[in-house]
């Protein structure tokens, strides 16, 4: 007796996440999992929600945004509309060395004011009690650990005792389901840590099977040196490495991404295990104070920066810098180990970088349709099975019987970003239905209010 489905998507072009050719058929979902996928196989019952893809819409696994700063957003913006409308059903949080746990009491973008939890379990209890709309997987952040252990303002090297404390935090995070350690070596206080300190901590992540995700020390003049440091940290800690928002900033550095990708390829051939992500924009964005100093503020800098938030309520000003090359984006998207990470900063009071709302549709609009660099199936693979396997979202990222039913259904002819620098808070066009853990979260432009997301545990 076939199980009755909760949802059936009929007449879809199925992109199953593997990167293989699209197939025609139906996809059936029951009790939060895929029941069947393929031609004419879907069971139905009186209460089944029937969605008709008319032979035109692609049905894929939900997308995974591997580079988010949504740690606080799970509490502040639990509907996560800016992600769900793009088809994102999975978010990796805790990037660039900043995680929502252990709570620091600092009111910055990644942490939560007033939070007092000591670890991932404490954070999980709080976010799970209120609920949120997409699944999340946590990295533990080195800047956060250094802030609670040594202080945010103290440039001294970590002592043996400091290292023990930070290593214990990493171990505990791994025990509680984190997928690894992140760094932001351009930021305070992470920039004061030598490679040896990171190797110590990445070793603890490696012991738990996790990975090391890094916003490298330099993404401009010293990009290649920074990639070499990341490769070294991976080799000496035994930890797989993930390079965040891979790019070359500054006109004089354009083209260097070819060399840094070649370095990654050589290292992988020699036994390293390195993956990457990027966002499809030539402008970067970050806390202004972290990127500016009397030496960096030149006329050229001023010409290429816009200030999106005037620090309401004393919060940080976000600057947006137009410093990257379109050719480098193409180089990035061609690399088979390149995932997609929005790096969106979910501060909805100001004018965020449009990548917060536009990253995933923009990959389809620019690199699938306009430039034809990758196929629909390959774009889907980079957004689904590749990140699910890498960041340990087990049983996700593929449409297959028994897998968890996170789904995006979109029109491959029209799926496009609408967010611009002038009007960044615009949801994309062409996303039709989004399903999270078997529940409909987005229905033709309308958010259903379902808070079906879970804070996942690494590889379980
Ligand atoms: Zn970063």
């Amino acid at each position: 007796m076939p199980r009755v489905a909760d949802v059936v998507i009929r007449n879809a072009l199925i992109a199953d996440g593997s990167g293989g050719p699209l197939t025609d058929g139906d996809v059936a979902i029951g009790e939060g999992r895929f029941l069947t996928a393929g031609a004419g196989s879907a069971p139905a019952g009186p209460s089944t929600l029937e969605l008709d893809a008319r032979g035109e819409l692609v049905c894929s696994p939900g997308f995974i945004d591997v580079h988010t700063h949504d740690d606080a957003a799970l509490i502040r913006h639990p509907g996560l509309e800016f992600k769900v409308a793009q088809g994102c059903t999975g978010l990796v949080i805790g990037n660039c060395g900043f995680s929502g746990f252990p709570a620091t009491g600092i009111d910055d973008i990644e942490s939560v004011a007033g939070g007092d939890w000591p670890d991932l379990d404490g954070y999980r209890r709080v976010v799970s009690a209120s609920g949120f709309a997409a699944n999340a997987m946590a990295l533990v952040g080195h800047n956060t650990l250094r802030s609670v252990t040594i202080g945010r303002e103290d440039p001294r090297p970590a002592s043996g005792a400091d290292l023990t404390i930070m290593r214990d935090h990493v171990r505990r995070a791994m025990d509680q389901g984190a997928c690894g350690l992140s760094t932001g070596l351009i930021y305070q206080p992470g920039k004061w840590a030598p490679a040896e300190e990171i190797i110590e901590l990445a070793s603890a992540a490696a012991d738990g099977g996790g990975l090391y995700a890094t916003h490298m020390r330099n993404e401009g003049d010293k990009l290649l040196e920074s990639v070499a440091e990341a490769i070294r940290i991976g080799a000496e800690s035994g930890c797989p490495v993930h390079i965040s928002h891979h790019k070359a900033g500054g006109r004089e550095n354009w083209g260097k991404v070819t060399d840094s990708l070649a370095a990654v390829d050589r290292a992988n051939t020699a036994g390293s295990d390195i993956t990457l992500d990027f966002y499809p924009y030539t402008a970067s964005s970050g806390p202004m104070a972290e990127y500016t100093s009397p030496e960096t503020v030149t006329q050229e800098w001023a010409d290429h920066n816009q200030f999106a938030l005037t620090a309401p309520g004393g919060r940080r000003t976000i600057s947006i810098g137009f410093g990257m090359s379109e050719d480098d984006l193409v180089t990035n998207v061609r690399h088979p180990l390149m995932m997609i990470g929005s790096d969106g900063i979910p501060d909805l009071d100001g004018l965020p970088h449009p990548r917060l709302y536009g990253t995933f549709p923009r990959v389809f609009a620019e690199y699938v349709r306009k430039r034809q660099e990758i196929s629909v199936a390959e774009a889907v693979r980079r957004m689904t099975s590749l990140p699910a396997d890498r960041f340990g979202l087990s049983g996700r990222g593929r449409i297959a019987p028994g897998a968890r039913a996170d789904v995006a259904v979109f029109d491959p002819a029209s799926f496009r970003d609408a967010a611009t620098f002038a009007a960044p808070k615009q949801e994309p066009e062409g996303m039709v239905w989004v399903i999270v853990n078997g529940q409909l979260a987005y229905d033709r432009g309308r958010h259903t209010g379902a808070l079906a997301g879970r804070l996942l545990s690494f590889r379980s």
Side-chain angles (χ1 to χ4, degrees):
M1 188 62 186
R3 213 152 23 127
V4 172
D6 300 322
V7 182
V8 174
I9 302 155
R10 303 252 182 227
N11 308 311
L13 305 169
I14 301 170
D16 67 5
S18 69
L22 275 57
T23 56
D24 300 326
D26 305 336
V27 173
I29 295 164
E31 295 175 6
R33 295 176 188 267
F34 293 110
L35 299 176
T36 60
S41 63
S47 61
T48 300
L49 173 65
E50 295 260 354
L51 306 174
D52 186 1
R54 306 183 311 269
E56 296 170 359
L57 306 180
V58 171
C59 177
S60 79
F63 305 146
I64 298 168
D65 185 347
V66 299
H67 194 94
T68 85
H69 295 290
D70 291 335
D71 305 61
L74 296 194
I75 296 168
R76 287 186 188 150
H77 309 293
L80 299 165
E81 290 84 357
F82 44 89
K83 290 294 163 67
V84 170
Q86 296 183 58
C88 293
T89 61
L91 315 169
V92 178
I93 59 175
N95 277 287
C96 299
F98 298 103
S99 54
F101 65 92
T104 60
I106 300 165
D107 183 15
D108 66 19
I109 285 166
E110 299 82 10
S111 67
V112 184
D116 64 353
W117 44 85
D119 54 18
L120 176 53
D121 273 355
Y123 173 78
R124 175 179 276 115
R125 268 192 293 278
V126 171
V127 299
S128 301
S130 46
F132 46 94
N135 297 311
M137 174 64 77
L139 292 155
V140 62
H142 169 250
N143 287 323
T144 303
L145 296 185
R146 212 175 202 275
S147 291
V148 299
T149 306
I150 300 174
R152 202 172 190 228
E153 311 293 334
D154 194 340
R156 73 178 162 82
S159 67
D162 296 329
L163 277 176
T164 300
I165 292 169
M166 291 193 282
R167 204 169 42 226
D168 286 349
H169 275 297
V170 175
R171 287 216 178 100
R172 182 150 39 138
M174 295 306 301
D175 287 346
Q176 296 179 352
C179 63
L181 171 76
S182 79
T183 56
L185 298 177
I186 201 168
Y187 296 120
Q188 193 174 311
K191 66 182 179 187
W192 294 313
E196 290 74 15
E197 176 177 326
I198 311 302
I199 290 165
E200 251 331 285
L201 301 182
S203 301
D207 289 344
L211 55 78
Y212 168 60
T214 180
H215 177 157
M216 297 182 295
R217 218 173 276 279
N218 186 291
E219 298 175 318
D221 295 346
K222 296 208 167 80
L223 173 65
L224 300 181
E225 292 88 334
S226 298
V227 169
E229 183 185 41
I231 293 169
R232 179 191 159 205
I233 289 169
E236 295 189 20
S237 66
C239 199
V241 175
H242 183 83
I243 295 175
S244 302
H245 41 61
H246 181 245
K247 61 171 162 304
R251 183 176 287 273
E252 61 282 7
N253 298 308
W254 290 1
K256 273 190 186 171
V257 296
T258 305
D259 303 319
S260 55
L261 287 174
V264 165
D265 289 341
R266 277 195 304 276
N268 278 341
T269 302
S272 291
D273 181 2
I274 304 168
T275 53
L276 316 92
D277 68 66
F278 89 119
Y279 51 81
Y281 294 86
T282 56
S284 60
S285 170
M288 184 179 75
E290 302 275 4
Y291 287 102
T292 52
S293 67
E295 300 82 62
T296 57
V297 178
T298 61
Q299 187 59 50
E300 190 198 350
W301 179 88
D303 291 345
H304 291 92
N305 275 270
Q306 113 182 11
F307 302 103
L309 296 173
T310 50
R315 285 209 298 277
R316 298 184 301 178
T317 297
I318 297 297
S319 66
I320 294 175
F322 294 85
M324 291 179 285
S325 130
E326 182 60 48
D327 288 347
D328 285 359
L329 300 184
V330 171
T331 303
N332 269 332
V333 82
R334 285 178 180 163
H335 197 283
L337 296 177
M338 188 68 62
M339 305 175 203
I340 313 301
S342 71
D343 203 9
I345 298 172
D347 194 325
L348 304 182
D349 296 335
L351 290 179
H353 189 301
R355 66 195 182 190
L356 178 66
Y357 281 82
T359 289
F360 285 76
R362 190 171 175 81
V363 169
F364 284 92
E366 281 290 316
Y367 303 106
V368 175
R369 285 201 305 277
K370 184 173 159 197
R371 296 171 186 271
Q372 303 192 356
E373 292 290 343
I374 53 174
S375 66
V376 169
E378 175 65 5
V380 167
R381 183 186 73 85
R382 305 278 195 87
M383 298 172 179
T384 59
S385 66
L386 185 66
D389 293 351
R390 187 59 165 174
F391 288 87
L393 286 79
S394 293
R396 298 179 193 271
R398 288 178 181 79
I399 295 181
R404 302 279 181 180
D406 298 332
V407 183
V409 181
F410 58 95
D411 180 356
S414 68
F415 186 34
R416 62 176 284 271
D417 53 309
T420 64
F421 288 93
K425 290 182 277 191
Q426 309 285 331
E427 294 186 355
E429 296 167 14
M431 181 53 63
V432 182
W433 294 295
V434 180
I435 293 170
V436 177
N437 291 318
Q439 293 191 39
L440 192 63
Y442 183 81
D443 181 5
R444 292 163 294 191
R446 185 180 65 87
H447 293 272
T448 66
L451 300 179
R454 289 180 207 142
L455 184 50
L456 306 174
S457 288
F458 184 59
R459 291 186 185 158
S460 66

